[in-house]
Amino acid sequence: MEIAAGGSALSALRAFSASLGPHTERKTGGGCCPNVLSFPMTPLSANEEFSHEIATGFLFSEEMKIVRQLQSKCEEGRELVKVIYCSRSCARAFPPVVVADEADPTRTKQYYRAIFTVLQPQVEKIKQLSDFCSQAVVLLSDNIQRITVHENMTRVIPDVLMDALVDIMDVILQLNHLHDTKSSLRNDFSVFKRVFINIKDDLPDAELVEKDIVRLQESMGSSYQAKDSIWDSLRHNLTNVKRYDQVTYLLLKHCVTHAENDTCTTPCCMFKFIRVLSYLLVVLEGSDVWKKTGTLPGGDKKIIEAVRNFFK
């Protein structure tokens, strides 16, 4: 009777398992019970992985979503910094222009098409730089605006969120510096434009390429044009946020506190605070409150003095 009951129970379990969906075959080797069921392991989705925060009523669940978004964008930016930093100009390696002759009248066209093909990946890097900086600037300013309007700045801002904001701002500033100093970007873009003019009638996607050139022309036009254009865009977006000076001061205080008290394991941990400090101070000094009073409401003068001492 017990065996029969056990058999029927096992059959019911197998039927229940089959109704749930496909599973791996039973394994009989290694001393395992032949009737043990094994299911494939799959990674949790992003929503399931952090569902415990919502289920337990985690106080900062919304902030942690923002942190993960900022961290993801920051990692993307750090990879782009490496790509742009390691890029070298291809334009200087090209041979002189090949002149067409009667034997081969298409030689010049072939020359231009070959150069166009070589420079396309270089121009893609410039497009990635432009697109990322535009997205990151909007992401940073939007999240600062979200902080300023949230419960009239009475809600505690987690330290990890402040650090994520500093990280993404640091990446933007690094890309701003590379954009201004990497002459290889402008050299390749300049040659790419000239080559495109000679072969645009033969390209099937000439209109799309021309739109990209026009879009990038403003920031990559010449070595004397649009210096600090990425930083200017960031500062413009930040200063248009209501009560931006309060969040900027908190970020400034965060940088000073960590730069003075933290034991940084790598140089970049320290340098990110130093890089961001000077730009935050520029944003603060441009605020109306700062111009009128020389300080911020409730601002600690020791923090401001500590920032200035960093650059003496």
Side-chain angles (χ1 to χ4, degrees):
M1 181 65 67
E2 292 180 359
I3 295 176
S8 61
L10 183 59
S11 300
L13 181 59
R14 287 174 176 168
F16 174 73
S17 172
S19 67
L20 295 178
H23 54 79
T24 57
E25 296 181 357
R26 293 178 297 173
K27 299 179 181 179
T28 58
C32 297
C33 176
N35 293 323
V36 172
L37 300 174
S38 59
F39 294 89
M41 296 297 293
T42 56
L44 295 174
S45 64
N47 292 334
E48 292 175 340
E49 185 177 359
F50 304 104
S51 59
H52 63 282
E53 295 179 358
I54 301 175
T56 59
F58 182 51
L59 181 61
F60 297 111
S61 59
E62 189 65 30
E63 283 83 351
M64 292 309 298
K65 290 180 182 178
I66 298 173
V67 168
R68 288 190 287 271
Q69 186 181 15
L70 290 170
Q71 288 175 342
S72 175
K73 200 67 179 175
C74 188
E75 286 301 317
E76 180 185 346
R78 285 171 179 158
E79 291 300 319
L80 185 58
V81 167
K82 297 175 185 177
V83 171
I84 299 298
Y85 179 79
C86 295
S87 66
R88 295 295 181 266
S89 177
C90 295
R92 297 181 179 180
F94 293 142
V97 178
V98 177
V99 180
D101 52 23
E102 295 181 357
D104 190 0
T106 63
R107 287 184 65 190
T108 304
K109 286 282 187 181
Q110 293 174 357
Y111 169 83
Y112 286 134
R113 287 188 68 88
I115 292 180
F116 181 84
T117 303
V118 171
L119 287 179
Q120 269 188 316
Q122 301 300 107
V123 176
E124 282 298 321
K125 294 178 185 177
I126 301 175
K127 288 169 59 179
Q128 290 176 16
L129 172 63
S130 176
D131 293 341
F132 174 85
C133 289
S134 299
Q135 296 167 9
V137 165
V138 172
L139 179 65
L140 178 59
S141 56
D142 283 353
N143 282 294
I144 288 180
Q145 184 175 22
R146 185 179 289 109
I147 292 173
T148 60
V149 301
H150 191 69
E151 298 182 10
N152 296 322
M153 290 290 295
T154 58
R155 184 182 175 93
V156 175
I157 304 175
D159 195 67
V160 65
L161 176 57
M162 300 294 287
D163 210 47
L165 292 172
V166 170
D167 283 340
I168 191 67
M169 185 173 180
D170 178 48
V171 169
I172 294 173
L173 294 176
Q174 290 183 58
L175 290 173
N176 174 73
H177 178 72
L178 290 173
H179 170 270
D180 293 345
T181 57
K182 291 289 287 186
S183 59
S184 61
L185 299 178
R186 288 179 174 80
N187 292 338
D188 289 348
F189 183 68
S190 178
V191 175
F192 183 82
K193 288 189 300 180
R194 294 199 300 269
V195 169
F196 172 74
I197 293 174
N198 290 278
I199 63 171
K200 65 178 181 179
D201 294 335
D202 302 329
L203 296 176
D205 57 345
E207 292 184 3
L208 294 176
V209 176
E210 190 169 12
K211 288 180 180 178
D212 289 336
I213 290 176
V214 172
R215 181 168 62 89
L216 298 174
Q217 176 69 35
E218 184 177 351
S219 61
M220 305 300 299
S222 68
S223 58
Y224 304 101
Q225 184 179 1
K227 289 288 186 181
D228 281 331
S229 59
I230 298 173
W231 159 242
D232 288 339
S233 174
L234 176 60
R235 180 170 55 180
H236 174 75
N237 281 30
L238 290 179
T239 52
N240 282 336
V241 175
K242 188 178 181 180
R243 295 197 299 271
Y244 74 92
D245 47 359
Q246 298 181 31
V247 181
T248 305
Y249 173 75
L250 292 177
L251 288 170
L252 192 76
K253 185 176 181 180
H254 175 84
C255 291
V256 171
T257 302
H258 284 269
E260 289 184 337
N261 302 328
D262 281 8
T263 302
C264 299
T265 55
T266 59
C268 63
C269 294
M270 172 64 73
F271 292 152
K272 75 175 182 181
F273 296 121
I274 298 176
R275 277 192 295 264
V276 171
L277 270 175
S278 59
Y279 288 91
L280 288 174
L281 195 60
V282 170
V283 174
L284 269 182
E285 291 179 343
S287 64
D288 294 334
V289 176
W290 181 279
K291 290 177 181 178
K292 292 178 182 178
T293 64
T295 185
L296 294 171
D300 189 351
K301 292 184 178 180
K302 293 181 180 179
I303 297 295
I304 305 299
E305 291 301 322
V307 175
R308 288 172 172 166
N309 290 335
F310 264 101
F311 306 104
K312 286 185 178 180

